Amino acid sequence: MGIFEPFRAIGYITTNVPFSVQRLGTETFVTVSVGKAFQVYNCAKLNLVLAGPQLPKKIRALASYREYTFAAYGSDIAVVKRAHQVATWSGHSAKVNQLLLFGEHVLSVDVEGNIFIWQFKGIDKNPAPIGHIKLDDKFSPSCIMHPDTYLNKVMVGSQEGALQLWNISTKKKIYEFKGWGSSITCCVSSPALDVIAVGCADGKIHVHNIRYDEEIATFSHSTRGAVNALSFSTDGQPLLASGGSSGVISIWNLEKRRLHSVIREAHDSSIVSLQFFANEPVLMSSSADNSMKMWIFDTSDGDPRLLRFRSGHSAPPLCIKFYANGRHILSAGQDRAFRLFSVVQDQQSRELSQRHVSKRAKKLKLKEEEIKLKPVIAFDVAEIRERDWCNVVTCHMDTPRAYVWRLQNFVLGEHILTPCPENPTPVKACAISACGNFAVLGTAGGWIERFNLQSGISRGNYIDLLEGKSAAHNGEVIGIACDATNTIVISAGYHGDVKVWDFKGRDLKYKWEVGCSLVKIVFHRSNGLLATVADDLVIRLFDVIAQRMVRKFEGHTDRITDMCFSEDGKWLLTSSMDGTLRIWDVILARQIDAVQVDLSITALSLSPNMDILATSHVDQNGVYLWVNQAMFSGAASFASYGSGQEIVNVKMPSVSSAKDGENNDNKTIVKQSESSDTSQFLYSGHQIPDLVTLSLLPKSQWQSLINLDIIKARNKPIEPPKKPERAPFFLPSIPSLSGEILFKPSKGANEENNTQNTELEKNSKKTDLPLSKFLQILQSCAEKENFATFTDYIKSLSPSTLDMELRMLQIIDDDDEQEPEKRQELQFIELLVDYFIHEVSYRNNFEYIQALVRLFLKVNSCVHKLSSFYSHLDIGEIVKLRSRECSEDSTTDISLTDSW
């Protein structure tokens, strides 16, 4: 087990597998494939409601019925009830490409022409198919469909162009249509009886009457490519939607037999599936570009408009970086998109706007890809100025300009930064100052210039006069960094020269040579260390102030793709094309962990809290999250989780955080917390280094414990209650000479008072106190040495109830009492003090326990009474323990020691 364990992947919406739509009650749900797992979205807001388990292979087909999902992977079919796999159907010997829900049966079709019939009512663990149909040898099935009202019959299309009608009950072929001379890619049933639509690979759509084998209409796509998806409208409008491999959705009017409208640039890649919602003017589409969109037909001219959508990167990300204290991830991909992913809630993920790309593309009659900015190759962000002005600057591929972004509005900024307009060269590096006011840019021509982010005005350039020309470096600038106090600017050139400049005066202070060509630099502002990567695959750490190399790390065998420091500066994380992720301990100057992944890491970023690592990989469109196990367990040190010099093979995170089947070794935090000891997990002394855990209770609840006497004094009535002038007529009274109203007590009340007095006298004679629920739970938890139940109970009590429970344990100075060892209240006080020691030493529920201790000491504030019981309660040991803890951690609250 390594320091970072797989958690989950984000940014995946759908793949090239057609989705499955079903309606449950008043809600519509869509099930989509995301590789080896599936996700279920609620179409009301396209929010994610369920993620399926991780399967051994990629999903090739999907079908859904109520709470069951059928996913074909390889030659097997997984039956999943909500998020748990309940059965596996294994009957095929070839890959399954098609699934069809047929009443109470599921039909599966493989590439070799075998159709198996499965019954999913009363699913067993390993059921067998109830029927089998073998198609002709020269018939390669490409699609399967059930015509409405046709009992026990299905239509099967082939790559050869033939179309057959089969009866699955008798397992006989009823009829074979002559076809249209082209491969059939899709076929759907229409609301009209006996009418279907067939899409072909030559781009033609045939509306056919299967009862009489007659052609009704033929439509042809204007764009080249096959027809991949078809869907009929069922809300009364005679519309047919078709999607092709070019990403264009065409809407056809069946009554007028002509093109109704075209959604150009609907998707960036080929359309995978289309589906009109039942009795609604809403069309859903999915594409291989990792997006899913809903279109609504509510305009005056009947053209569709985009209603809502979910999308991710359609090409692998190039740069990633954590933002907003680790809650979001900024990602720039090869698809020319700049995105913001939410780690907490997937609905908050979105693409940053590039200002009316769709409108400009329509006006210029160009594709949106041609209007968008070129792919981002480097960017920097400063959170401190998010509310004031643009706080992100990006460098784009082969672009002599840098662009700024306003993350508060998720939009491209108003300024364009153009360094050296006389001799423009592509911008290669950028950095934002710690104050967020300035951006420093470096170009391929060696030019370095500083800009003001608020106004976009140039504030001067950095020139090294010894280079022989007006430039900072003799060659490409591969990296720029600024320190925390706006004192210096660090730049690195491709030829191996690192230079340190005065930030304000723009003068060269000093420089040094690395000795070989540099590829990348990373600067840590807190400790002043600069990490450089050169062509010789050696990582060198330099002390910028001392101008000397302080660390040297070797181990990677291929090009190093990215690196980053941890927030405390103790770790350096590096990734390489050799498929390894290595963690170097800067203080100990050694490698503490190395993991091997299936796909090489291209970019990485560690969250400021050091709890989550984000990575992007070769040919993967998502962002993968890894969790720091040492932050959530009882390890004595981070190094105890590392593998040292040994490289450990680790599987990549999946979309679903809960693993089944072959991936049980990919454990998540939830799985580990269930298998480990609960008390050790909750009450570990090293959960988070040098930090405390809070109770998460309302502030008023624990503050009221401290100020309860003040609250009681404030709420005390100003005047005593007044006697009523007249007694209510229904209360019996006794006449008196003084005129005071005296009520006549009933016989039952007198008997109850006598009974209560008798019980009190008996209890006063007893030596043991009656155990309240408070004392019972305390005693039970002390015996089990696990105070979790007691903590939960006292959290549920009101401040006044808790105050009463502590006062019930108040030490009473009574000379006639028995010896201290036999006094029951002292025994429970000892258990309560043990509980305080346990919680304070482990720093759990910190503010609540501090308030509770203060109230306890306030109740038992008489030191002369406590002094006689020192030997019994061992108060001196408590003081020693707290003093030792306070000396080890100066940040620990020492109110307990001071109070003693």
Side-chain angles (χ1 to χ4, degrees):
M1 182 175 66
I3 295 178
F4 290 98
E5 288 294 303
F7 181 37
R8 67 186 183 100
I10 60 176
Y12 283 104
I13 305 300
T14 184
T15 57
N16 56 354
V17 177
F19 55 64
S20 174
V21 177
Q22 65 170 329
R23 191 172 183 87
L24 297 176
T26 59
E27 300 289 341
T28 304
F29 297 90
V30 57
T31 305
V32 296
S33 166
V34 283
K36 296 182 180 180
F38 64 86
Q39 294 178 342
V40 180
Y41 290 89
N42 189 334
C43 296
K45 292 185 178 179
L46 275 186
N47 57 321
L48 181 64
V49 295
L50 184 67
Q54 183 84 348
L55 300 177
K57 297 179 181 179
K58 288 186 177 180
I59 295 176
R60 302 175 62 88
L62 280 172
S64 57
Y65 175 75
R66 293 184 180 176
E67 58 186 3
Y68 288 97
T69 301
F70 308 93
Y73 62 94
S75 60
D76 298 330
I77 302 170
V79 182
V80 182
K81 185 176 183 181
R82 294 188 63 82
H84 303 283
Q85 185 172 349
V86 295
T88 302
W89 294 342
S90 301
H92 291 273
S93 58
K95 293 181 179 179
V96 180
N97 277 348
Q98 303 287 332
L99 289 178
L100 176 65
L101 187 68
F102 193 79
E104 296 181 355
H105 302 86
V106 174
L107 275 62
S108 59
V109 185
D110 61 23
V111 294
E112 294 181 353
N114 295 297
I115 300 178
F116 284 91
I117 306 169
W118 311 85
Q119 185 174 6
F120 61 85
K121 291 291 185 180
I123 297 174
D124 298 323
K125 289 296 181 182
N126 291 302
I130 63 174
H132 172 243
I133 298 175
K134 182 68 174 73
L135 301 175
D136 300 337
D137 294 336
K138 294 183 179 180
F139 190 91
S140 302
S142 58
C143 62
I144 184 170
M145 179 266 298
H146 166 60
D148 292 342
T149 72
Y150 278 58
L151 187 64
N152 297 330
K153 297 176 182 64
V154 293
M155 301 285 296
V156 184
S158 68
Q159 297 178 4
E160 290 78 15
L163 186 66
Q164 297 178 354
L165 179 64
W166 283 80
N167 188 317
I168 64 169
S169 180
T170 61
K171 303 177 181 59
K172 292 181 179 180
K173 182 172 64 173
I174 299 176
Y175 187 77
E176 181 171 352
F177 298 86
K178 56 185 178 181
W180 296 271
S182 178
S183 298
I184 296 176
T185 55
C186 59
C187 57
V188 293
S189 179
S190 74
L193 295 181
D194 307 322
V195 178
I196 66 170
V198 179
C200 299
D202 58 359
K204 292 185 177 181
I205 306 164
H206 303 277
V207 182
H208 199 76
N209 188 311
I210 58 177
R211 183 174 182 178
Y212 300 104
D213 193 8
E214 293 179 355
E215 190 86 1
I216 299 176
T218 302
F219 305 107
S220 180
H221 274 190
S222 58
T223 56
R224 295 181 180 179
V227 179
N228 295 335
L230 293 169
S231 181
F232 282 96
S233 174
T234 58
D235 67 332
Q237 300 185 45
L239 300 179
L240 170 65
S242 64
S245 56
S246 60
V248 178
I249 298 177
S250 301
I251 311 297
W252 308 90
N253 191 310
L254 298 175
E255 287 184 351
K256 299 179 180 179
R257 300 190 180 187
R258 63 179 179 83
L259 185 65
H260 177 74
S261 60
V262 177
I263 310 176
R264 300 188 182 275
E265 304 295 332
H267 291 275
D268 296 334
S269 187
S270 61
I271 306 295
V272 173
S273 54
L274 293 172
Q275 179 69 50
F276 270 104
F277 288 176
N279 302 319
E280 293 183 27
V282 177
L283 173 68
M284 172 166 281
S285 64
S286 72
S287 171
D289 64 353
N290 196 24
S291 68
M292 181 170 52
K293 299 182 180 181
M294 293 175 62
W295 312 85
I296 186 169
F297 294 78
D298 62 350
T299 57
S300 58
D301 54 359
D303 290 341
R305 64 176 179 88
L306 185 62
L307 179 62
R308 59 180 66 94
F309 69 97
R310 295 293 301 275
S311 62
H313 281 295
S314 59
L318 295 174
C319 309
I320 58 175
K321 184 172 290 188
F322 272 98
Y323 180 76
N325 199 24
R327 297 191 304 273
H328 295 91
I329 297 176
L330 284 169
S331 173
Q334 298 177 11
D335 57 351
R336 299 188 174 191
F338 195 38
R339 293 187 173 274
L340 183 74
F341 290 106
S342 174
V343 178
V344 180
Q345 191 171 8
D346 194 52
Q347 281 181 269
Q348 298 178 358
S349 302
R350 61 183 301 162
E351 180 182 355
L352 273 67
S353 172
Q354 297 187 18
R355 293 191 183 276
H356 310 298
V357 173
S358 300
K359 291 183 179 179
R360 286 187 291 156
K362 290 180 181 179
K363 186 176 181 180
L364 300 175
K365 297 182 179 180
L366 297 173
K367 293 184 177 181
E368 291 187 10
E369 291 184 359
E370 300 176 7
I371 300 295
K372 283 186 176 181
L373 300 176
K374 291 186 177 181
V376 176
I377 57 174
F379 71 89
D380 197 11
V381 58
E383 299 184 29
I384 192 172
R385 291 297 187 181
E386 178 185 4
R387 297 177 179 272
D388 301 325
W389 49 73
C390 299
N391 63 325
V392 179
V393 60
T394 55
C395 308
H396 299 260
M397 186 180 296
D398 301 327
T399 304
R401 297 172 298 277
Y403 294 86
V404 294
W405 305 74
R406 186 183 291 271
L407 275 190
Q408 186 181 16
N409 301 330
F410 309 106
V411 69
L412 185 68
E414 60 273 14
H415 302 302
I416 300 177
L417 311 181
T418 307
C420 191
E422 300 84 10
N423 183 22
T425 53
V427 180
K428 294 292 185 179
C430 61
I432 297 180
S433 60
C435 62
N437 293 328
F438 300 98
V440 185
L441 306 178
T443 68
W447 185 269
I448 298 177
E449 192 167 349
R450 188 181 68 196
F451 290 86
N452 186 290
L453 282 176
Q454 183 179 8
S455 62
I457 300 175
S458 174
R459 295 303 183 190
N461 58 327
Y462 298 83
I463 299 177
D464 184 4
L465 300 177
L466 299 179
E467 292 291 343
K469 62 176 183 177
S470 58
H473 289 270
N474 185 16
E476 178 183 331
V477 179
I478 59 100
I480 294 178
C482 301
D483 70 337
T485 58
N486 285 0
T487 305
I488 59 174
V489 174
I490 307 163
S491 63
Y494 173 75
H495 297 294
D497 51 337
V498 179
K499 299 183 179 181
V500 180
W501 312 81
D502 180 71
F503 185 91
K504 187 176 181 180
R506 307 193 305 278
D507 298 327
L508 180 64
K509 300 183 70 174
Y510 41 83
K511 66 177 180 178
W512 67 85
E513 297 287 338
V514 176
C516 53
S517 299
L518 291 177
V519 177
K520 188 178 183 63
I521 66 168
V522 174
F523 180 68
H524 193 270
R525 287 173 174 168
S526 299
N527 58 19
L529 292 180
L530 179 72
T532 63
V533 175
D535 285 340
D536 57 359
L537 307 181
V538 177
I539 304 165
R540 298 174 176 87
L541 267 65
F542 293 90
D543 189 332
V544 175
I545 304 301
Q547 308 175 42
R548 65 185 183 90
M549 185 172 67
V550 294
R551 293 289 186 270
K552 186 177 181 181
F553 299 129
E554 299 181 16
H556 287 292
T557 59
D558 204 344
R559 179 172 63 88
I560 298 174
T561 56
D562 201 2
M563 59 180 177
C564 70
F565 278 101
S566 61
E567 186 69 16
D568 56 7
K570 297 178 181 179
W571 289 354
L572 178 66
L573 285 72
T574 59
S575 61
S576 171
M577 290 302 293
D578 59 9
T580 61
L581 168 68
R582 299 175 187 262
I583 303 176
W584 313 87
D585 193 310
V586 176
I587 298 176
L588 301 178
R590 63 181 178 89
Q591 177 181 299
I592 59 175
D593 194 18
V595 296
Q596 178 85 32
V597 292
D598 298 334
L599 298 172
S600 299
I601 298 174
T602 57
L604 57 88
S605 178
L606 185 62
S607 65
N609 297 328
M610 295 176 57
D611 55 349
I612 295 178
L613 171 68
T615 59
S616 63
H617 297 257
V618 175
D619 296 331
Q620 300 298 308
N621 297 341
V623 177
Y624 294 81
L625 304 181
W626 308 73
V627 68
N628 188 348
Q629 292 295 303
M631 297 290 290
F632 302 98
S633 59
S637 64
F638 288 95
S640 62
Y641 274 82
S643 59
Q645 296 295 327
E646 182 183 358
I647 300 177
V648 180
N649 291 323
V650 178
K651 293 184 179 180
M652 291 174 55
S654 67
V655 176
S656 169
S657 60
K659 314 292 190 301
D660 292 331
E662 295 182 357
N663 295 327
N664 283 334
D665 53 343
N666 277 359
K667 297 178 181 178
T668 62
I669 304 175
V670 178
K671 293 292 183 182
Q672 287 196 354
S673 64
E674 290 175 354
S675 61
S676 61
D677 184 14
T678 306
S679 61
Q680 182 181 359
F681 180 80
L682 293 174
Y683 299 102
S684 170
H686 303 277
Q687 288 184 23
I688 303 177
D690 302 328
L691 295 179
V692 296
T693 57
L694 302 180
S695 63
L696 302 181
L697 290 174
K699 191 175 181 180
S700 59
Q701 185 167 346
W702 58 269
Q703 279 192 344
S704 298
L705 288 173
I706 304 172
N707 305 313
L708 199 60
D709 52 348
I710 301 176
I711 295 173
K712 289 181 179 179
R714 184 185 60 193
N715 296 338
K716 188 177 180 180
I718 301 175
E719 298 179 357
K722 297 180 180 180
K723 296 180 181 180
E725 296 179 359
R726 295 180 181 179
F729 68 91
F730 53 83
L731 293 180
S733 58
I734 301 174
S736 62
L737 296 176
S738 62
E740 293 184 359
I741 300 174
L742 300 177
F743 298 108
K744 183 179 180 181
S746 61
K747 296 181 179 180
N750 291 332
E751 293 176 358
E752 289 179 2
N753 291 334
N754 295 333
T755 305
Q756 291 178 0
N757 293 333
T758 307
E759 290 179 356
L760 289 174
E761 291 177 1
K762 292 180 180 180
N763 289 334
S764 63
K765 296 178 181 179
K766 293 183 179 180
T767 57
D768 295 336
L769 291 172
L771 294 185
S772 63
K773 186 177 180 181
F774 177 87
L775 298 179
Q776 291 175 2
I777 298 177
L778 175 61
Q779 190 174 22
S780 174
C781 291
E783 293 174 357
K784 297 178 182 179
E785 296 182 354
N786 184 357
F787 292 99
T789 306
F790 182 70
T791 303
D792 295 337
Y793 174 70
I794 62 175
K795 280 184 178 181
S796 64
L797 297 179
S798 63
S800 57
T801 306
L802 193 55
D803 178 75
M804 182 196 69
E805 294 286 356
L806 293 181
R807 292 187 183 277
M808 291 291 291
L809 295 176
Q810 190 172 2
I811 300 174
I812 303 173
D813 191 6
D814 192 350
D815 297 335
D816 298 334
E817 282 288 344
Q818 62 267 28
E819 298 178 359
E821 288 78 5
K822 297 181 180 180
R823 293 180 60 172
Q824 191 177 12
E825 70 269 18
L826 295 181
Q827 297 175 7
F828 285 110
I829 287 178
E830 183 180 11
L831 296 179
L832 194 59
V833 172
D834 290 340
Y835 169 71
F836 291 151
I837 296 173
H838 181 276
E839 292 294 304
V840 172
S841 60
Y842 288 137
R843 305 172 191 163
N844 289 311
N845 307 297
F846 196 73
E847 83 285 13
Y848 186 69
I849 297 300
Q850 290 291 330
L852 198 60
V853 168
R854 181 170 177 177
L855 177 61
F856 171 77
L857 295 178
K858 189 175 182 180
V859 171
N860 300 280
S861 58
C862 299
V863 180
H864 69 278
K865 295 179 181 179
L866 285 173
S867 60
S868 60
F869 307 125
Y870 271 12
S871 59
H872 182 69
L873 291 180
D874 205 0
I875 302 299
E877 291 297 322
I878 298 174
V879 175
K880 291 179 182 179
L881 174 63
R882 293 298 297 124
S883 301
R884 182 168 65 253
E885 290 178 356
C886 295
S887 62
E888 292 175 356
D889 186 2
S890 59
T891 62
T892 305
D893 194 328
I894 60 173
S895 61
L896 177 58
T897 307
D898 294 343
S899 301
W900 284 118

